[in-house]
Amino acid sequence: MIRVALVDDQALFRAGIRMLVDSQPDLEVVGEASDGREGVAMVRATAPDVVLMDIRMPVMDGLAATAELLTDPRAEGTPSPRIVMLTTFDLDEAAARAIRQGASGFLLKDADPEFLLAAIRTVHSGSAVIAASATRELFERFSDAVARPVPAAYLELTEREREIFALAARGLSNAEIAAREFLSEATVKTHISRILTKLGLRDRVQLVVFAFEHDLA
C-alpha cells in the first residue's frame, strides 16, 4: 500500500484528491494539512511515502515545507518522502526551485485523474521522472546558475553508463533508451540504478537536475 499525504490550502481540492486516491486498492491517504507548517508536522507524524504539496499556501509555502522535510535531521537514517509539487502554472519558477531542493517532480492541479494516480505510483517506484521534458524546460527557462565543475563520481561512470545517463537526462523513458541502445528494459533499469547509486542521487528527477547543473546534457 502506498501511503499518500495531501498538503493544500483548498479543502475542496483536498477532498477530491482524497476521494480519488482512496478509491484505488494500492493507495491510501494517511493525512491532510492546509498549510506548510501543518504539513511538516503531519508528515513527520504519519510518515507517508508520497506527499502532494501545493506550492503557494499561507503560513508556510510549499517550498519552505519541502526544504524543511528533506533536510530534517530527525529523519536521518530513514527514507524521506517523495514530494510532488502541485502548481497551477505550466512553467513555474517555484516548481524548478522545489525540484532543485529535492522534490521528485511537479504536477498541474488540473491534471487528469489517471495521470495523477500514475504519477503517485511512478514517483513511489523511483523508476521515472514526471514530465522530464517539462522539468528540463523549467531549468532552461529559469536557471541563471553557472555550470558547476563535473564531480569525480561522474568521471567514474563507464562509457555505457554515460550514454544512458545522457539519454535519461534528456527525459527518455527506459523503453526509449532500450530501443536506442539495443538493450532490454531490465538492463536499462539496472544501469539507471547503478548510475543513481554512483552519483548519490535519489531518483531520475535528481539525475535531470544533476545533468543540467553540470552542463552534461
Side-chain angles (χ1 to χ4, degrees):
M1 186 71 74
I2 301 174
R3 297 161 53 81
V4 181
L6 311 175
V7 186
D8 192 286
D9 61 334
Q10 297 178 352
L12 189 59
F13 179 79
R14 292 200 313 272
I17 298 300
R18 174 182 277 274
M19 187 177 301
L20 174 66
V21 171
D22 282 344
S23 72
Q24 303 299 300
D26 61 330
L27 307 176
E28 67 172 337
V29 173
V30 296
E32 294 183 32
S34 60
D35 63 59
R37 177 56 63 198
E38 288 182 3
V40 169
M42 179 271 293
V43 169
R44 286 173 176 165
T46 59
D49 301 307
V50 177
V51 180
L52 301 180
M53 176 83 73
D54 191 15
I55 288 181
R56 292 168 177 80
M57 294 180 289
V59 184
M60 175 188 280
D61 65 22
L63 288 174
T66 295
E68 189 163 330
L69 287 170
L70 295 179
T71 58
D72 188 352
R74 289 178 293 182
E76 191 171 338
T78 60
S80 57
R82 298 190 182 277
I83 300 177
V84 179
M85 309 308 296
L86 300 173
T87 177
T88 55
F89 303 101
D90 193 11
L91 288 176
D92 191 332
E93 182 176 7
R97 287 163 56 199
I99 291 171
R100 183 174 276 117
Q101 289 175 348
S104 292
F106 71 97
L107 285 172
L108 294 179
K109 295 182 80 169
D110 63 355
D112 291 338
E114 290 304 317
F115 183 80
L116 185 146
L117 294 172
I120 292 172
R121 296 182 178 106
T122 294
V123 167
H124 178 256
S125 72
S127 64
V129 59
I130 294 178
S133 58
T135 299
R136 285 182 54 79
E137 191 172 350
L138 277 176
F139 284 101
E140 289 167 359
R141 173 172 289 201
F142 295 120
S143 177
D144 56 2
V146 176
R148 303 174 185 175
V150 177
Y154 175 79
L155 301 178
E156 294 176 2
L157 298 182
T158 66
E159 183 177 351
R160 171 69 85 180
E161 287 170 344
R162 291 189 196 184
E163 291 174 359
I164 292 175
F165 171 94
L167 294 173
R170 287 165 50 192
L172 274 67
S173 67
N174 285 352
E176 291 169 329
I177 295 173
R180 287 197 179 207
E181 296 293 300
F182 302 101
L183 300 170
S184 70
E185 286 189 49
T187 299
V188 171
K189 187 172 182 178
T190 297
H191 278 302
I192 292 292
S193 179
R194 288 175 180 166
I195 291 167
L196 295 177
T197 298
K198 287 183 178 181
L199 298 181
L201 304 175
R202 188 172 65 169
D203 55 31
R204 288 175 64 152
V205 171
Q206 293 303 299
L207 186 151
V208 171
V209 175
F210 181 96
F212 186 89
E213 292 187 334
H214 296 93
D215 197 23
L216 293 170

